[in-house]
Amino acid sequence: MTNGAQALMKTLVDSGIEVCFTNPGTSEMHFVAALDSEPKMRAVLALFEGVATGAADGYARMADKPAATLLHLGCGLGNGLANLHNARKGKVPVVNIVGDHATYHVKYDAQLQSDIETVARNISPNFVRTSQSTEALCQDAAEAITAARGLPGQVATLILPADVSWGEGGKPCAAPTQPQAPAAEDNAVKAAAEAIGSGKKTALLLGGRALREPALLEAARIAAHKGVTLFAETFPTRIERGAGLPPVERIAYLAELATLQLSEFDHLILVDTKAPVSFFAYPGKQSYLVPDNCTAHTLSTPEQDATASLKKLADTLGASSAQPKLQAPGRPGLPKGKLTAEKVCRAVGELMPENSIIVDESITSGLMLNAMTAGSPRHDMITLTGGAIGQGMPNAVGAAIACPDRHVYALIGDGTAMYTNQALWTMARENLNVTTIIFNNASYSILNVELERVGAEEAGAKAKSQLDISGPVTNYALLAQSMGVHGTRVTTAEELIKAMEYAKHNPGPHLIEAVVPESLNGVKRKVLPWLLKSLPSLPRPLTKALKKKIAP
């Protein structure tokens, strides 16, 4: 007879789930054994749960369908929570399978017993279920898959007790076909069209699937026909960009700059996103970033089809035949001399091949990345949707497995690199085409910036030591080599170019440790809060120039 784990495996693959990122323990051994019974399921081992969950996130962003995870009890789920948080914020579909003790063992409160459902609700607010019997398991799984892959995508957590897994009599049950998402309601389209036709300054703020090519083209037709400005949310789940695609300006991370971007608009139309808010609260500053004089309208929600909604709006405005503005091709040129973070971004823009995937967790070192890659050959960019650092390298693992014929560049800050460096081991084990570039400035630069911005008391030696990672300075090239990844350390632009060319022409994983100074050093960091505070009183042409300089 088929046991529960074997039936579950069949249910997963029959529903289109073909990859499982695993970090198993004793309670999951029947699931592990069942992997041999299903040749269609690829199993990818991670040495840390945060790598498994982040890889499932990156896979789904590029494959447009969920992968599964396999985690060990509540502690394993806890270890993987940060990247499931990023997936939740990015509305990414993940089928999150968490093993549990056998149902009859729970009452004994063994050492690893915990309340898994309570932990899971943080990242699966709409679907958490503990399967209570082998007979019910596959129906539970089908409902989890349905929940995960609908719009908006979500993390669906299925808790799998060991005896439900090993019990006999499991019956596979494939998830039903997903219904097509609807377009925006007529009244929402009418309100958006009236706002655009009012003659007042209007912008479209695009997020989620509105940042894919079909939706971008519809939005760009509206922009070309009606003079509307296009913005993208600050941290897109996935944005298609580069030469031949419509250019879109991202809302700045710094709240003061975001307010500046939006200050001239009377109407802001939201497409598959919410109105922008400040990443953190700051003393004496607004959290809601839409100006008081600007009215926010929702064209389409994350539950609706963004492309169909924009097309409906374009048809209403008579913009369907308008020629969209497209990004002209243009490489930034090769850098020379002593390495800086900006020169690293320039090299990426100059050397990356067409259809590359950029996973951006470069934090302050990547301030110039958008500008340097704007005219590069078309590519996808994945960003830190939930702000929980340690996403970048695991996302790169998943993206490379989803798109094996495309080159993946993971641009990672040194502070975040140590959160999930175990991803390098999985890259080597799976022989993935990932080039990881670590910006080693030996600093938690973003936290030093935030220390200045929040208005904390003058920091002394003890406080500053908590934001200092310069002693000892990690050697990421040697760390990569210890995990089977080709690693090299570079200090000049010429060395960087040589390393990137080598990685491009030699398949498999590579790590390039770029030793750079801080992009926001001591003087800039001191001046930045004062400058941001002064923006409202400065002439608008000057503020625009400053914004372009700080965050292009």
Side-chain angles (χ1 to χ4, degrees):
M1 294 180 69
T2 301
N3 68 25
Q6 291 165 337
L8 173 58
M9 199 69 64
K10 180 69 172 168
T11 296
L12 292 170
V13 297
D14 285 353
S15 302
I17 296 179
E18 301 165 328
V19 182
C20 183
F21 296 96
T22 78
N23 188 282
T26 302
S27 301
E28 296 77 43
M29 284 303 155
H30 283 81
F31 186 103
V32 172
L35 289 166
D36 289 327
S37 71
E38 184 46 75
K40 294 179 184 177
M41 177 65 76
R42 180 175 180 177
V44 180
L45 177 63
L47 298 184
F48 174 62
E49 294 89 340
V51 175
T53 55
D57 177 14
Y59 174 90
R61 294 189 195 212
M62 296 310 304
D64 280 330
K65 64 179 182 179
T69 65
L70 180 65
L71 308 177
H72 182 46
L73 304 174
C75 297
L77 173 60
N79 282 341
L81 209 65
N83 278 329
L84 289 172
H85 163 81
N86 289 325
R88 178 176 73 87
K89 287 295 187 177
K91 302 177 181 64
V92 178
V94 177
V95 177
N96 187 44
I97 300 172
V98 184
D100 195 7
H101 290 299
T103 54
Y104 60 82
H105 193 65
V106 170
K107 64 184 178 182
Y108 297 109
D109 193 23
Q111 281 84 348
L112 276 169
Q113 180 65 40
S114 63
D115 184 352
I116 301 174
E117 289 195 0
T118 295
V119 177
R121 287 192 187 96
N122 287 280
I123 44 83
S124 293
N126 300 314
F127 191 99
V128 177
R129 185 175 302 173
T130 301
S131 200
Q132 297 295 332
S133 70
T134 302
E135 293 75 19
L137 171 60
C138 291
Q139 183 59 44
D140 291 337
E143 292 178 22
I145 294 164
T146 300
R149 70 186 186 187
L151 286 184
Q154 62 181 300
V155 179
T157 298
L158 178 66
I159 301 168
L160 178 61
D163 56 334
V164 171
S165 186
W166 74 51
E168 294 187 342
K171 296 180 181 179
C173 177
T177 302
Q178 211 75 24
Q180 187 172 352
E185 300 285 348
D186 290 347
N187 59 350
V189 175
K190 180 182 178 183
E194 287 175 351
I196 291 171
S198 68
K200 296 183 177 180
K201 294 208 71 171
T202 304
L204 287 172
L205 177 57
L206 310 175
R209 291 176 179 266
L211 294 171
R212 309 288 185 88
E213 181 180 10
L216 283 171
L217 289 172
E218 295 295 345
R221 290 187 183 100
I222 295 168
H225 188 63
K226 288 292 186 178
V228 172
T229 299
L230 300 183
F231 288 117
E233 59 190 353
T234 306
F235 293 106
T237 302
R238 171 183 168 188
I239 180 171
E240 297 182 359
R241 60 195 301 272
L245 289 169
V248 185
E249 181 181 348
R250 278 165 60 180
I251 297 294
Y253 164 78
L254 296 172
E256 297 89 343
L257 297 180
T259 301
L260 171 65
Q261 287 172 287
L262 297 173
S263 62
E264 62 184 282
F265 294 99
D266 302 293
H267 296 284
L268 183 66
I269 299 170
L270 310 174
V271 187
D272 200 357
T273 190
K274 66 177 186 178
V277 298
S278 177
F279 213 75
F280 298 103
Y282 298 94
K285 296 177 183 177
Q286 294 290 327
S287 294
Y288 184 69
L289 300 182
V290 179
D292 293 340
N293 63 305
C294 181
T295 303
H297 312 263
T298 297
L299 173 65
S300 68
T301 68
E303 291 81 11
Q304 295 171 319
D305 186 319
T307 301
S309 300
L310 285 164
K311 187 176 189 314
K312 195 171 176 180
L313 178 59
D315 290 343
T316 300
L317 293 168
S320 298
S321 59
Q323 289 299 310
K325 177 185 175 183
L326 303 178
Q327 176 66 52
R331 301 271 199 172
L334 289 174
K336 296 179 181 178
K338 186 178 179 181
L339 207 53
T340 64
E342 180 176 335
K343 289 180 182 179
V344 175
C345 297
R346 180 180 293 275
V348 171
E350 179 66 25
L351 297 175
M352 69 177 190
E354 188 169 7
N355 287 325
S356 293
I357 300 167
I358 296 176
V359 182
D360 178 21
E361 197 181 16
S362 52
I363 317 296
T364 56
S365 292
L367 289 173
M368 298 301 295
L369 182 62
N370 275 332
M372 292 299 180
T373 56
S376 298
R378 61 176 301 155
H379 57 278
D380 287 90
M381 184 179 284
I382 290 172
T383 73
L384 186 62
T385 48
I389 62 176
Q391 174 185 305
M393 286 193 281
N395 265 192
V397 168
I401 288 173
C403 305
D405 297 327
R406 300 174 65 178
H407 200 105
V408 179
Y409 290 92
L411 275 65
I412 312 294
D414 55 349
T416 77
M418 292 302 289
Y419 279 60
T420 47
N421 58 63
Q422 305 93 335
L424 294 167
W425 185 89
T426 302
M427 291 177 195
R429 179 182 172 95
E430 300 292 326
N431 196 33
L432 302 178
N433 289 323
V434 178
T435 298
T436 302
I437 300 177
I438 306 289
F439 292 88
N440 191 349
N441 59 19
S443 172
Y444 267 138
S445 189
I446 186 62
L447 295 185
N448 282 289
V449 170
E450 294 292 9
L451 181 67
E452 303 285 347
R453 294 182 70 218
V454 298
E457 296 296 322
E458 184 68 27
K462 189 185 297 185
K464 289 179 179 177
S465 72
Q466 306 311 298
L467 311 179
D468 176 17
I469 55 173
S470 63
V473 176
T474 306
N475 189 313
Y476 292 96
L478 292 180
L479 181 66
Q481 291 169 23
S482 76
M483 296 196 209
V485 172
H486 175 260
T488 185
R489 175 180 269 200
V490 298
T491 60
T492 69
E494 290 76 14
E495 291 172 346
L496 172 65
I497 292 163
K498 182 179 178 181
M500 290 184 66
E501 290 285 10
Y502 180 85
K504 189 161 64 170
H505 295 106
N506 289 273
H510 301 266
L511 182 140
I512 303 170
E513 179 185 357
V515 180
V516 297
E518 287 186 75
S519 296
L520 295 172
N521 60 25
V523 174
K524 292 179 182 176
R525 207 160 53 223
K526 287 288 185 184
V527 170
L528 184 61
W530 174 85
L531 183 61
L532 294 173
K533 192 182 296 184
S534 303
L535 285 176
S537 61
L538 297 175
R540 184 155 192 86
L542 178 57
T543 58
K544 282 190 170 183
L546 288 170
K547 189 270 171 190
K548 188 174 182 181
K549 184 72 174 175
I550 298 169

